[in-house]
Amino acid sequence: MVMDETLFRISERVKNFAVIYLVNIDEVPDFNQMYELDHDSNEPYNIMFFWRNKHMMVDYGTGDNNKLNFPIDDEQEVIDIIETIYRGATKGKGLVVSPRDYSTRRRA
């Protein structure tokens, strides 16, 4: 719910360079195996980024570059990530580095 609310609040501010879609993986199962999307995992959601039908990867420092699967409640942080992806994508990059390192944030 935290990410849903954050994405909803920023959607108007990022509309000039990003569109946010909610996809039910049961109704659209095409990417489930390819991107390791699964209901049985410990990830309640996965946020993925695409640019002109190409999957964009982001290095968050967590080891999973395919998707964002941890909550970020700071709206500006999410906007910064989306903007970084947009800038990298327009330069032809398939992998960008997140403006913040999240490797220490998720330690138990």
Side-chain angles (χ1 to χ4, degrees):
M1 296 291 284
V2 170
M3 280 308 295
D4 287 347
E5 292 172 8
T6 303
L7 290 170
F8 177 75
R9 287 192 306 266
I10 68 165
S11 63
E12 189 65 27
R13 289 189 273 173
V14 299
K15 71 179 182 181
N16 290 333
F17 56 95
V19 179
I20 298 170
Y21 292 100
L22 173 66
V23 178
N24 183 332
I25 64 172
D26 292 329
E27 294 179 20
V28 187
D30 296 344
F31 292 114
N32 293 358
Q33 185 175 9
M34 185 186 309
Y35 295 112
E36 301 171 4
L37 305 176
D38 188 0
H39 283 298
D40 297 333
S41 70
N42 294 331
E43 303 163 353
Y45 59 87
N46 295 290
I47 299 173
M48 300 178 69
F49 303 96
F50 293 88
W51 170 259
R52 297 187 176 163
N53 295 324
K54 181 181 177 204
H55 179 234
M56 293 297 298
M57 295 190 293
V58 184
D59 182 2
Y60 302 102
T62 61
D64 188 354
N65 296 343
N66 288 324
K67 55 194 176 260
L68 174 64
N69 53 15
F70 52 89
I72 302 175
D73 58 356
D74 185 336
E75 295 174 20
Q76 190 58 50
E77 269 185 63
V78 178
I79 291 171
D80 291 346
I81 291 170
I82 294 171
E83 187 175 351
T84 300
I85 294 165
Y86 174 75
R87 290 177 188 267
T90 57
K91 293 176 183 175
K93 297 181 180 181
L95 172 67
V96 297
V97 178
S98 170
R100 184 169 175 192
D101 183 2
Y102 293 94
S103 60
T104 57
R105 180 179 183 169
R106 297 191 60 207
R107 288 191 185 155

